Amino acid sequence: MKSRKFDVGQDLGPKDLETPGRKNRHQDLCLWLRLLTLHKLIDNEMRRRLRDSYNMSLARFHLLAQLSVAPNGLRMGELSSRMMVTTGNVTGLTDDLEAEGLVERVVDPSNRRANLVHMTRKGRALFDEAAQMLEIWIEDFFSIYSSKDKQLLFDLLGKQKAFVLKRLKSAHTEAAE
Amino acid sequence: MKSRKFDVGQDLGPKDLETPGRKNRHQDLCLWLRLLTLHKLIDNEMRRRLRDSYNMSLARFHLLAQLSVAPNGLRMGELSSRMMVTTGNVTGLTDDLEAEGLVERVVDPSNRRANLVHMTRKGRALFDEAAQMLEIWIEDFFSIYSSKDKQLLFDLLGKQKAFVLKRLKSAHTEAAE
């Protein structure tokens, strides 16, 4: 079954990650590469601005964002699964943030052998400031869409997210059998 | 100006990068986090499969993809701008791929002081095999959408891409003034 060819439209800006897909015009490949190019454009810029304005990496921002909605703190395993990265990755980030007094590890009262990561007051203050600014940047980058377009896009992407999650779950179940 | 609150719908799967946005229901933040979560779900899985099946990182795949549509080879600067990563990043990748005989550096005939990176025959064979498989994986992950939805999504994301590119360009022009 061949996927339909796409109307790839005109070139948008300089050559980038989408370029190889545009040459072969495979519909799904083009869509995937556009999704990832747009993600990368926004990500690179948010990364640059957070670093310039708050000396904060985007990974640190996402870690603090998770703690900001977890008043009881989070275990490392929970943090890494929410952040969709490896535990090693989160351990390094937490070490750095702890050294700067932005988070702290405390013993989990429900399991004395486990630690919970908490945001400190200093971490909360820095995060709140950065998050407020990031909201403004993000609002600007999404201001091209009408409110209706935003809901449409959110729902379309959600449909795929649910589907991909189901696919991954069944792949992992098969692998374990 | 406050952005409208979103209909965030039901939770899709376990807690993830979207979770902090869902708590505050800021429309643009939710949309950004959904885009990045979906990207990361697909990216992590493609990364895992390429590594398991072809011992190839996703970054290597994207580098070879660029060379696959550049029969005359590409300069390092052009490679890094197309891949939207730093030159240092691309230099390391190219060194590794060259050591495995998948790419080669040749002197640029139009400028003897510059090098062009080419795909070798071995690189082309490996890339073609991996790309064919990746197309099948991607087709599966996008099979939830109708052809009409795909075109709609492609065009919506393209609209934002063009807008973000314009914003970045004017930001950089201002900074240079």
Side-chain angles (χ1 to χ4, degrees):
Chain A
M1 183 197 62
K2 266 288 137 214
S3 156
R4 272 210 242 158
K5 293 298 179 186
F6 233 21
D7 172 11
V8 292
Q10 55 181 354
D11 263 317
L12 304 171
K15 291 199 165 75
D16 57 25
L17 286 164
E18 282 193 48
T19 306
R22 293 178 69 81
K23 284 251 178 166
N24 102 7
R25 295 178 51 234
H26 178 294
Q27 194 175 43
D28 301 308
L29 222 48
C30 287
L31 189 49
W32 171 54
L33 291 172
R34 171 145 298 178
L35 184 78
L36 107 80
T37 303
L38 179 61
H39 159 76
K40 216 159 168 66
L41 270 180
I42 301 175
D43 215 62
N44 282 349
E45 183 66 10
M46 291 305 125
R47 203 176 292 278
R48 194 184 66 73
R49 293 186 188 179
L50 275 177
R51 195 187 50 228
D52 288 356
S53 303
Y54 301 98
N55 193 24
M56 188 191 281
S57 73
L58 195 51
R60 284 185 178 203
F61 180 84
H62 285 304
L63 194 153
L64 293 173
Q66 291 298 342
L67 296 180
S68 78
V69 294
N72 298 321
L74 290 171
R75 297 223 189 140
M76 294 303 258
E78 179 65 20
L79 253 180
S80 73
S81 97
R82 288 190 186 196
M83 291 177 66
M84 307 165 81
V85 295
T86 63
T87 323
N89 200 309
V90 169
T91 305
L93 279 171
T94 304
D95 291 345
D96 294 345
L97 289 167
E98 196 170 25
E100 293 185 24
L102 301 171
V103 306
E104 56 189 355
R105 286 175 168 95
V106 296
V107 173
D108 182 349
S110 74
N111 176 356
R112 310 284 310 166
R113 285 167 306 171
N115 279 327
L116 286 170
V117 185
H118 276 267
M119 207 176 213
T120 63
R121 194 185 286 239
K122 186 179 164 192
R124 165 67 71 175
L126 179 64
F127 172 75
D128 283 349
E129 209 188 311
Q132 220 172 345
M133 187 49 85
L134 190 124
E135 268 186 33
I136 294 171
W137 297 333
I138 289 292
E139 272 178 28
D140 176 42
F141 274 21
F142 284 81
S143 64
I144 185 73
Y145 293 126
S146 68
S147 204
K148 209 179 128 201
D149 275 353
K150 287 178 194 174
Q151 188 76 52
L152 175 67
L153 195 51
F154 186 77
D155 294 340
L156 274 174
L157 298 175
K159 196 163 124 179
Q160 189 181 14
K161 182 184 172 188
F163 179 75
V164 168
L165 282 170
K166 216 170 72 184
R167 269 287 194 275
L168 296 181
K169 207 172 165 185
S170 66
H172 295 159
T173 312
E174 270 170 39
E177 270 168 4
Chain B
M1 183 197 62
K2 267 286 139 211
S3 156
R4 274 212 238 155
K5 294 297 181 187
F6 232 22
D7 171 11
V8 292
Q10 56 180 352
D11 263 317
L12 303 171
K15 291 200 166 77
D16 58 24
L17 288 163
E18 282 192 47
T19 305
R22 293 178 69 81
K23 285 250 177 164
N24 100 7
R25 294 179 52 235
H26 178 295
Q27 195 174 43
D28 300 309
L29 222 48
C30 286
L31 190 50
W32 172 56
L33 291 171
R34 171 144 299 176
L35 185 78
L36 108 79
T37 304
L38 180 62
H39 159 75
K40 215 158 167 65
L41 270 180
I42 301 175
D43 215 61
N44 282 349
E45 183 66 9
M46 291 303 126
R47 202 176 292 278
R48 195 185 64 72
R49 293 186 187 179
L50 275 178
R51 196 187 50 230
D52 290 357
S53 304
Y54 300 98
N55 193 25
M56 188 191 281
S57 73
L58 196 51
R60 284 185 179 203
F61 180 84
H62 285 304
L63 194 153
L64 293 174
Q66 291 298 342
L67 296 181
S68 78
V69 293
N72 299 323
L74 291 171
R75 295 220 190 142
M76 294 303 259
E78 179 64 20
L79 252 179
S80 74
S81 98
R82 289 190 185 196
M83 291 177 66
M84 308 165 80
V85 296
T86 62
T87 323
N89 200 310
V90 169
T91 304
L93 277 172
T94 304
D95 290 346
D96 294 345
L97 288 168
E98 195 170 25
E100 294 186 23
L102 301 170
V103 305
E104 56 188 356
R105 287 174 167 95
V106 295
V107 172
D108 182 350
S110 73
N111 176 356
R112 310 283 310 167
R113 284 166 309 170
N115 278 327
L116 287 170
V117 185
H118 275 268
M119 207 178 214
T120 62
R121 195 185 285 238
K122 186 180 164 190
R124 165 66 72 173
L126 180 65
F127 172 74
D128 283 349
E129 210 188 312
Q132 218 171 345
M133 186 50 84
L134 190 125
E135 267 187 33
I136 294 172
W137 298 333
I138 289 293
E139 272 178 27
D140 177 42
F141 274 21
F142 284 80
S143 64
I144 185 72
Y145 293 127
S146 68
S147 202
K148 207 178 129 200
D149 275 354
K150 286 178 197 175
Q151 187 78 52
L152 176 66
L153 195 52
F154 186 78
D155 294 341
L156 274 173
L157 298 175
K159 196 163 124 177
Q160 190 181 13
K161 182 184 171 186
F163 179 74
V164 168
L165 282 170
K166 214 170 73 185
R167 270 287 193 275
L168 295 181
K169 206 172 165 184
S170 67
H172 295 158
T173 312
E174 269 170 39
E177 266 166 9

